[in-house]
Amino acid sequence: MIETGSFRDPESRVFYEDERVLRGMSPNTADIDRAARRSGLMDELIGEGWFVANWVVEDVAPPEGTPDAAVIESERVPLISYPAEWSFAMLRDAALVTLDSNLAALEKGFILKDASAFNVVFRGSRPTIIDIGSIDRFGERGIWSAYGQFCDHFLAPLMLESYVGVPFQRLLRGTVDGIPIGDLNRMMRGRSGAHKGVLTHVRLRSLLEKRAAGMKTAARRDVGKASLPVESVVATIRKMRDLVADLESSAPSTWADYEEALPYERQSTKAKSDFVREAASTAVSRSVAVDVGANAGLFTRILAETFDQVIGIDNDAGAIDALYTSTSSSEIDNLTPLVVDITNPTPAFGWRGKERAAFTERVRPAFSTWLAVLHHLCLGLGLPLEQVVGLIYEFSEEAAVEFVSSADPMAQRISASRTTDLAPYTPDDFESYARAGGAIITKTEITDTRTMYHLRRS
Amino acid sequence: MIDPLLAYLDPGTGATLVQLALAGTAGVAAAAKLRMNRLKRRVASEDTPEAEAEVEVKDEQHESVAPQE
């Protein structure tokens, strides 16, 4: 089966055979690939963890229409995520891996011809490049042909969140090409334009792109033939690395204040943790678990003790950023935090609406946790409880769910401004919906307004 | 009048020009240094060949790009 997202590079195409991830290469790309392996570059990139592990195989014939001069097999990455689902630090680390790989490549006479953020995935909390076919020859002179793509995919969204304070996730949703630099230029009018790197990478580039549009074809061809000595390209990429590494998010986040505001939540934390641990240990499958509404990731980390792979999702990018930063500096290697709103998960998009898969296609957990989430969905957003229970069963085989009754102080706070009646929303209603779609395995009251349930789909 | 469609069709040229300009800044700095050294030599020898300045400009645009680190 040929990967639907792998058509932009005719020289190298991804296909699957059973569980194996394979890539067929054209004679030219196969040549470059051999040279990159001989030079030690591929080993270095894999050793650093910047590139996914990959090796040449000879026992596979690529499907019809796929280049077949060489076949490379890659380690299967358990989770494909997209830039719109990453927090600021995740996008920044993905950018740094891209730049570091380029610098390592240039030292050995190669470069990466692409700098798409979609070439990067997270294994646990570590960014890794999966597009092995992007290695190209460089030699003594050349140009960083992926410079523009790097800026649109990485630099523009990072600058926007850092310099303007606008989170990039919503803007990257549904785009396969990042943020056009002209758009960023207009969004950064005024004082935000005084920041580091804006004058060249945003203002000058916008100007030169407009100029280039007015150039004659012959003149444009001349520009296309321009080259720089390798030292100059290395200097440009090093400067870009310094620029990117210094960027910090200035978008507001509510999660930190939120945790502080809930002292009474802390009392029940121990009881909730125990319940989640117990439910997880009796789960039928221990493959993939998702913590819905992960916040700072307390329960996500508990799931990571039991499941092979755990994803913590939250619509607050600040919370996910904190979880990512604490996880990537820890020993935990099976936890990936993602900025995903469960009431509006990433849809499929791109070429023919299929190039990039929907979140619910990519992530099919065996187990999920919904702690302190239902009252937000039902009382805060006004979603019907029956539908929310339906979503839980649709999303995963098993779930640990906290039901917060409407008498709870937090529930009261959430629904304070509501004038319409949101019934049915009682523990009895919840239990009847839960039994309609599956079974209640265990049930524990942790406070008089909060009850934990372990549900299993029938 | 610039046709916005063309900008859409050919985003690569602008990006390449930025890179050349970025490298150019480094080149200008290197050239300025070079010029200073030549000036010192001129002061010392009283010798001012006209042609040298021209080569220098050419260098600046095409060759004399030094690493910034």
Side-chain angles (χ1 to χ4, degrees):
Chain A
M1 184 187 66
I2 300 171
E3 160 64 42
T4 50
S6 175
F7 59 85
R8 288 181 192 265
D9 185 0
E11 306 263 305
S12 148
R13 197 150 286 176
V14 175
F15 61 96
Y16 304 105
E17 218 177 81
D18 304 317
E19 288 291 286
R20 299 170 78 181
V21 183
L22 301 143
R23 181 184 293 270
M25 288 180 169
S26 71
N28 180 42
T29 305
D31 256 2
I32 298 168
D33 181 76
R34 267 192 296 275
R37 284 172 207 279
R38 262 200 314 271
S39 74
L41 174 63
M42 193 63 92
D43 282 343
E44 186 187 343
L45 294 171
I46 296 169
E48 293 281 359
W50 298 337
F51 263 51
V52 69
N54 68 87
W55 53 94
V56 180
V57 289
E58 268 151 25
D59 62 328
V60 180
E64 192 66 36
T66 306
D68 61 357
V71 178
I72 311 295
E73 180 168 2
S74 302
E75 176 198 333
R76 200 180 177 85
V77 281
L79 168 71
I80 301 291
S81 59
Y82 299 147
E85 297 165 343
W86 301 342
S87 73
F88 186 89
M90 293 172 85
L91 184 64
R92 188 181 53 203
D93 285 355
L96 293 177
V97 158
T98 304
L99 297 172
D100 286 338
S101 300
N102 270 292
L103 290 171
L106 281 163
E107 260 180 41
K108 294 197 158 72
F110 298 89
I111 195 163
L112 306 190
K113 63 184 172 191
D114 303 303
S116 166
F118 289 96
N119 286 347
V120 185
V121 300
F122 282 82
R123 282 184 303 176
S125 290
R126 291 190 185 283
T128 307
I129 295 172
I130 50 173
D131 187 13
I132 299 138
S134 70
I135 296 177
D136 204 357
R137 280 189 220 278
F138 189 88
E140 292 304 307
R141 293 184 69 88
I143 203 102
W144 183 22
S145 57
Y147 160 77
Q149 191 179 38
F150 179 86
C151 291
D152 297 350
H153 281 236
F154 293 105
L155 188 66
L158 290 170
M159 275 185 168
L160 185 69
E161 182 158 337
S162 181
Y163 297 161
V164 190
V166 175
F168 58 74
Q169 288 84 7
R170 272 189 288 269
L171 282 160
L172 288 186
R173 237 185 124 134
T175 167
V176 289
D177 294 318
I179 298 175
I181 215 71
D183 286 7
L184 182 69
N185 190 32
R186 285 183 292 280
M187 285 189 267
M188 293 190 66
R189 280 184 177 140
R191 269 194 305 170
S192 55
H195 290 286
K196 193 177 165 190
V198 176
L199 195 64
T200 46
H201 301 298
V202 184
R203 300 267 190 264
L204 180 66
R205 187 168 152 224
S206 296
L207 183 81
L208 289 175
E209 285 201 347
K210 274 191 207 151
R211 282 280 163 81
M215 280 166 68
K216 296 224 158 62
T217 304
R220 241 184 279 163
R221 274 201 195 111
D222 282 345
V223 175
K225 280 184 222 144
S227 71
L228 292 163
V230 62
E231 297 82 15
S232 168
V233 174
V234 167
T236 299
I237 297 181
R238 280 211 186 120
K239 280 192 82 176
M240 180 66 86
R241 197 195 187 286
D242 292 343
L243 173 64
V244 167
D246 282 346
L247 293 173
E248 295 286 346
S249 172
S250 68
S253 166
T254 49
W255 77 272
D257 306 336
Y258 185 75
E259 289 259 302
E260 283 300 302
L262 298 171
Y264 53 85
E265 288 240 315
R266 245 173 251 141
Q267 302 162 12
S268 55
T269 299
K270 168 98 177 56
K272 272 160 84 168
S273 305
D274 291 345
F275 187 91
V276 170
R277 242 182 220 108
E278 177 65 24
S281 70
T282 57
V284 174
S285 161
R286 298 206 175 169
S287 55
V288 180
V290 173
D291 183 10
V292 178
N295 210 317
L298 177 68
F299 301 104
T300 325
R301 283 193 202 92
I302 291 174
L303 292 176
E305 295 164 8
T306 306
F307 291 90
D308 295 341
Q309 205 217 333
V310 175
I311 302 150
I313 64 168
D314 204 293
N315 61 357
D316 188 327
I320 291 302
D321 207 50
L323 177 56
Y324 169 74
T325 308
S326 64
T327 309
S328 59
S329 58
S330 77
E331 298 284 293
I332 304 168
D333 62 358
N334 60 340
L335 192 164
T336 310
L338 292 177
V339 185
V340 173
D341 179 352
I342 195 63
T343 67
N344 186 14
T346 322
F349 60 103
W351 175 242
R352 292 185 164 184
K354 287 180 198 153
E355 186 179 358
R356 306 294 167 196
F359 176 75
T360 46
E361 284 293 313
R362 283 173 284 135
V363 177
R364 295 172 177 278
F367 191 89
S368 62
T369 50
W370 305 67
L371 308 170
V373 170
L374 262 56
H375 57 305
H376 284 281
L377 302 185
C378 298
L379 304 179
L381 299 174
L383 298 162
L385 180 60
E386 185 176 13
Q387 290 223 19
V388 172
V389 175
L391 169 68
I392 294 171
Y393 281 130
E394 192 180 280
F395 189 58
S396 68
E397 192 90 24
E398 283 181 77
V401 183
E402 178 182 21
F403 186 82
V404 179
S405 79
S406 48
D408 185 87
M410 191 62 205
Q412 294 267 310
R413 206 164 104 178
I414 288 169
S415 56
S417 62
R418 283 218 164 257
T419 48
T420 47
D421 185 16
L422 290 170
Y425 186 82
T426 66
D428 286 346
D429 294 325
F430 176 77
E431 288 181 20
S432 81
Y433 298 141
R435 284 202 188 89
I440 297 171
I441 310 293
T442 52
K443 168 184 169 183
T444 305
E445 276 185 27
I446 47 170
T447 69
D448 49 1
T449 56
R450 292 175 175 238
T451 311
M452 299 290 296
Y453 294 91
H454 179 180
L455 308 182
R456 191 172 291 154
R457 184 166 66 199
S458 52
Chain B
M1 182 62 198
I2 291 157
D3 186 351
L5 186 69
L6 280 176
Y8 170 73
L9 283 174
D10 182 32
T13 305
T16 304
L17 287 172
V18 181
Q19 268 187 82
L20 297 177
L22 285 175
T25 349
V28 168
K33 214 185 234 175
L34 204 72
R35 210 170 279 150
M36 271 305 285
N37 290 339
R38 280 182 195 176
L39 192 68
K40 281 180 199 159
R41 273 206 308 272
R42 274 175 211 163
V43 171
S45 67
E46 296 283 329
D47 181 23
T48 52
E50 287 286 312
E52 213 177 50
E54 223 169 88
V55 174
E56 212 172 286
V57 174
K58 213 175 164 192
D59 277 356
E60 193 177 302
Q61 283 174 347
H62 298 283
E63 282 299 335
S64 75
V65 175
Q68 282 153 303
E69 250 81 357

